């Protein structure tokens, strides 16, 4: 009897342990499954699960002819929050926004975080009529924007952030997962171009723009690899008419289309971020030019300026990469100038200030291009280590006739002199303009414009130097 009782107790203990192990294994399995399907930061679904569900939804829509939609959400200017408040605060804000988005949606709707500040939503069962489906989606999208703009408190600070939403519908057509995601993403991008905090539905015109954008991106990449890009140089002269340097400008001689104006390819390059590749090429070419000039007594000591876009400057370690390139070519950094626009300074974050300061300490000059247009805050001169101002041509066009332009330019000259900043005047095309500028500012500026030369090829520029 005692043996039977012992055996029964032993079996009970084994059963309990077996059940415990199975429960623990089930918990571990559930945890692994959850992690595989969810975003670690926000606990929303991740890209992989979303794509799997989108495949199912497209197939279901095709069978029944019922509309579904994908909404692509991107937070506006979120990078500024990360840069100013720190990534930890940014992560907390993303968690709060994710929670708000989740609360707005129905239980059957699927929301995922694709990474960064991008959220994607799958909405099904929108009926068989496109008009009603669009009306429903507008209501949902408005609620989503409202929930994002809700005052989110992080570290005792309230953030009212906006977002851009792109929407792509699907029903019984032969659309693919990659198509619908690309359409929604393109519509979102169009929303940002229209001023942000917008809702845009994908349409054929956006598709046409998308195709042009893809073709241009491919062409630019092939152009860089095929050495289709080249530099032209516009002289910068002092009060005696002596050339002391030049601005190097990028031009593109496409093998099929011939010369493509910068106004056509630069915006596309910025949209696709190919401007980063162009900028890298431009910096290397500028350094090669300076090396050649340093070896020639006629051109030794000439300075060269190049344009730098907002997108390039906002890249991580941009300043480090520039310095490494200059060191690699063994170029005197004091001969190189990077021209930036006020749109970069508007960011007013520590990363931008640090990058400009690092470049200046290394010896590279920083020029504020198109000064007088845009935002034009004098605080930039105080808060950023800028050492060159380039006065925009809009103030120069009628300066010999317009007393207001004369007063403004005189004030800029005075402020620049007080701050110890050099001035370059752009757009000087007539002798009357130059004479007026001399009367206003004496000898304290440089001139750049058609009066002294249009942008020209390397050989022509050196030929002009030999004649001076």
């Amino acid at each position: 009897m005692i043996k039977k009782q012992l055996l029964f107790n032993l079996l009970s203990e084994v059963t309990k342990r077996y059940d415990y192990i199975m429960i623990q294994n089930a918990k571990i399995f559930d945890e692994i499954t959850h992690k595989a399907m969810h975003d670690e930061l926000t606990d929303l679904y991740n890209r992989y699960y979303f794509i799997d569900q989108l495949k199912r939804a497209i197939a279901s829509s095709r069978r029944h002819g019922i509309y579904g939609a994908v909404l692509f959400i991107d937070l506006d200017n979120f990078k500024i929050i990360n840069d100013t408040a720190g990534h930890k605060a940014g992560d907390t804000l993303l968690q709060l926004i994710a929670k708000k988005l989740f609360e707005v949606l129905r239980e059957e709707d699927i929301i995922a975080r694709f990474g960064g500040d991008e959220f994607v939503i799958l909405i099904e069962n929108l009926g068989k009529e496109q008009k009603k489906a669009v009306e429903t989606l507008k209501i949902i999208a408005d609620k989503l924007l409202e929930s994002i703009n809700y005052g989110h408190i992080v570290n005792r600070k309230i953030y009212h952030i906006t977002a851009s939403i792109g929407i792509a519908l699907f029903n019984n057509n032969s659309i693919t997962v990659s198509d619908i995601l690309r359409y929604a993403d393109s519509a979102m991008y169009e929303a940002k171009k229209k001023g942000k905090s917008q809702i845009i539905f994908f349409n054929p015109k956006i598709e046409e723009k998308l195709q042009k954008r893809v073709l241009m991106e491919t062409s630019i990449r092939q152009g860089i690899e095929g050495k289709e890009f080249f530099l032209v140089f516009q002289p910068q002269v002092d009060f005696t008419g002596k050339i002391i340097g030049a601005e190097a400008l990028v031009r593109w001689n496409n093998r099929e289309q011939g010369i493509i104006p910068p106004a056509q390819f630069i915006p596309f390059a910025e949209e696709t971020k190919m401007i980063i590749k162009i900028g890298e090429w431009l910096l290397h070419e500028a350094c090669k030019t300076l090396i050649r000039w340093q070896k020639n007594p006629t051109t030794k000591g000439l300075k060269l300026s190049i344009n730098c876009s907002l997108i390039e400057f906002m890249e991580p370690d941009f300043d480090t990469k520039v310095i490494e390139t200059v060191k690699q070519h063994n170029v005197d950094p004091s001969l190189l100038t990077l021209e930036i626009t006020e749109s970069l300074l508007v960011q007013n974050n520590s990363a931008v200030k640090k990058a400009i300061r690092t470049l200046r300490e290394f010896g590279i000059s920083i020029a504020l291009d198109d000064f007088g247009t845009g935002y034009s805050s004098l605080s930039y001169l105080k808060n950023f280590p800028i050492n060159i101002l380039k006065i925009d041509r809009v103030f120069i066009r009628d300066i010999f006739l317009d007393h207001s332009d004369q007063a403004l330019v005189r004030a800029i000259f005075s402020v620049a002199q007080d701050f110890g900043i050099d001035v370059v005047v752009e757009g000087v095309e007539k002798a009357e303009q130059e004479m007026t500028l001399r009367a206003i500012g004496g000898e304290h500026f440089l001139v750049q414009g058609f009066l002294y030369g249009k942008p020209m090829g390397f050989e022509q520029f050196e030929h002009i130097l030999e004649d001076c």
Side-chain angles (χ1 to χ4, degrees), residues 35 70 178 195 224 243 258 295 304 308 369 395 406-407:
K35 286 182 178 179
V70 168
S178 59
I224 294 173
I243 297 175
K295 292 178 180 178
L304 189 64
C308 178
D369 199 9
F395 300 110
Q406 293 174 21

Side-chain angles (χ1 to χ4, degrees), residues 36-37 40 50 68 73 119 136 188 211 235 259 305 327 332 345 347 380 384 426:
M37 295 166 53
E40 186 175 353
F50 184 90
I73 303 174
F119 299 91
T136 301
M188 180 277 296
Q211 292 300 326
I259 299 294
S305 63
K327 286 182 177 179
D332 180 355
L345 304 187
Q347 307 296 320
Y380 299 151
F384 294 88
E426 295 184 285

Side-chain angles (χ1 to χ4, degrees), residues 367-381:
L368 183 55
D369 199 9
D370 301 331
F371 188 76
T373 60
Y375 308 95
S376 295
S377 171
L378 291 177
S379 64
Y380 299 151
L381 308 184

Side-chain angles (χ1 to χ4, degrees), residues 31 35 38 114 129 143 158 169-170 174 260 275 285 338 365 371 380 382 413 422 461 463-464:
E31 288 176 5
K35 286 182 178 179
H38 290 76
F114 266 30
E129 294 184 28
K143 288 181 178 179
I158 300 176
L169 284 158
F170 60 88
S174 58
I260 299 178
I275 195 69
E285 291 300 309
L338 299 184
S365 294
F371 188 76
Y380 299 151
K382 175 183 176 183
F413 282 157
D422 295 328
F461 180 77
H463 181 69
I464 289 176

Side-chain angles (χ1 to χ4, degrees), residues 160-214:
H160 292 279
I161 195 165
T162 62
S164 300
I165 301 180
I167 303 175
L169 284 158
F170 60 88
N171 61 349
N172 59 350
N173 51 27
S174 58
I175 200 166
T176 66
V177 169
S178 59
D179 285 339
I180 196 70
L181 289 174
R182 191 173 78 254
Y183 294 164
D185 182 47
S186 298
M188 180 277 296
Y189 187 83
E190 194 70 15
K192 284 194 179 292
K193 286 178 66 177
K194 289 187 178 295
K196 302 178 182 178
S197 192
Q198 302 280 329
I199 301 164
I200 297 291
F201 284 80
F202 181 81
N203 59 59
K205 288 185 179 179
I206 295 177
E207 168 70 357
E208 186 179 340
K209 286 183 180 179
L210 176 62
Q211 292 300 326
K212 286 182 179 179
R213 182 182 170 193
V214 171

Side-chain angles (χ1 to χ4, degrees), residues 81-358:
I81 295 174
N82 266 339
D83 290 340
T84 56
H87 288 276
K88 191 174 181 180
D91 287 348
T92 302
L93 184 57
L94 286 174
Q95 291 170 336
L96 294 173
I97 290 172
K99 185 178 179 182
K100 284 291 180 182
L101 292 174
F102 185 81
E103 291 172 355
V104 169
L105 298 170
R106 304 170 301 178
E107 188 175 343
E108 62 265 33
D109 299 329
I110 296 173
I111 177 171
R113 177 177 175 243
F114 266 30
D117 57 336
E118 296 177 342
F119 299 91
V120 186
I121 298 170
L122 171 62
I123 297 178
E124 299 181 74
N125 302 318
L126 290 167
K128 294 187 177 183
E129 294 184 28
Q130 184 177 3
K131 185 178 178 181
K132 286 187 177 180
V134 169
E135 290 173 353
T136 301
L137 288 166
K138 283 181 178 177
I139 294 170
I140 294 170
D142 282 333
K143 288 181 178 179
L144 291 169
L145 285 183
E146 186 180 348
S147 70
I148 293 170
N149 196 34
Y150 179 86
H152 306 285
I153 301 175
V154 179
N155 297 334
R156 299 180 181 179
K157 185 175 181 180
I158 300 176
Y159 291 91
H160 292 279
I161 195 165
T162 62
S164 300
I165 301 180
I167 303 175
L169 284 158
F170 60 88
N171 61 349
N172 59 350
N173 51 27
S174 58
I175 200 166
T176 66
V177 169
S178 59
D179 285 339
I180 196 70
L181 289 174
R182 191 173 78 254
Y183 294 164
D185 182 47
S186 298
M188 180 277 296
Y189 187 83
E190 194 70 15
K192 284 194 179 292
K193 286 178 66 177
K194 289 187 178 295
K196 302 178 182 178
S197 192
Q198 302 280 329
I199 301 164
I200 297 291
F201 284 80
F202 181 81
N203 59 59
K205 288 185 179 179
I206 295 177
E207 168 70 357
E208 186 179 340
K209 286 183 180 179
L210 176 62
Q211 292 300 326
K212 286 182 179 179
R213 182 182 170 193
V214 171
L215 285 172
M216 182 62 78
E217 182 177 0
T218 303
S219 295
I220 290 173
R221 183 177 288 107
Q222 292 174 345
I224 294 173
E225 294 172 355
K227 298 181 179 180
E228 295 176 0
F229 288 92
F230 63 97
L231 295 182
V232 291
F233 302 85
Q234 186 167 34
Q236 294 176 342
V237 304
D238 64 13
F239 71 97
T240 67
K242 179 183 178 182
I243 297 175
I244 58 89
E247 178 180 358
L249 300 162
V250 180
R251 296 293 183 264
W252 184 12
N253 187 12
N254 184 273
R255 292 180 183 178
E256 297 179 359
Q257 302 177 50
I259 299 294
I260 299 178
Q264 288 186 22
F265 74 83
I266 293 295
F268 273 104
E270 290 180 337
E271 288 176 14
T272 58
K273 290 196 172 183
M274 287 302 294
I275 195 69
I276 296 171
K277 291 293 182 185
I278 293 176
E280 291 173 355
W281 171 86
L282 173 58
L283 180 59
H284 280 284
E285 291 300 309
C287 288
K288 291 176 185 176
T289 300
L290 285 171
I291 290 170
R292 177 168 171 174
W293 283 353
Q294 287 176 15
K295 292 178 180 178
N296 186 338
T298 305
T299 55
K300 189 174 184 180
L302 285 182
K303 297 183 178 182
L304 189 64
S305 63
I306 59 174
N307 287 283
C308 178
S309 76
L310 168 65
I311 294 169
E312 291 176 82
F313 217 99
M314 296 301 286
E315 280 289 291
D317 301 325
F318 169 77
D319 51 342
T320 303
K321 292 175 182 176
V322 170
I323 291 171
E324 287 176 353
T325 301
V326 172
K327 286 182 177 179
Q328 174 189 336
H329 289 280
N330 195 28
V331 168
D332 180 355
S334 67
L335 300 176
L336 179 66
T337 298
L338 299 184
E339 296 189 11
I340 61 175
T341 60
E342 294 173 37
S343 59
L344 176 65
L345 304 187
V346 169
Q347 307 296 320
N348 198 26
N349 61 55
S350 56
V352 171
K353 288 182 181 179
K354 177 182 174 295
I356 294 177
R357 190 176 296 111
T358 301

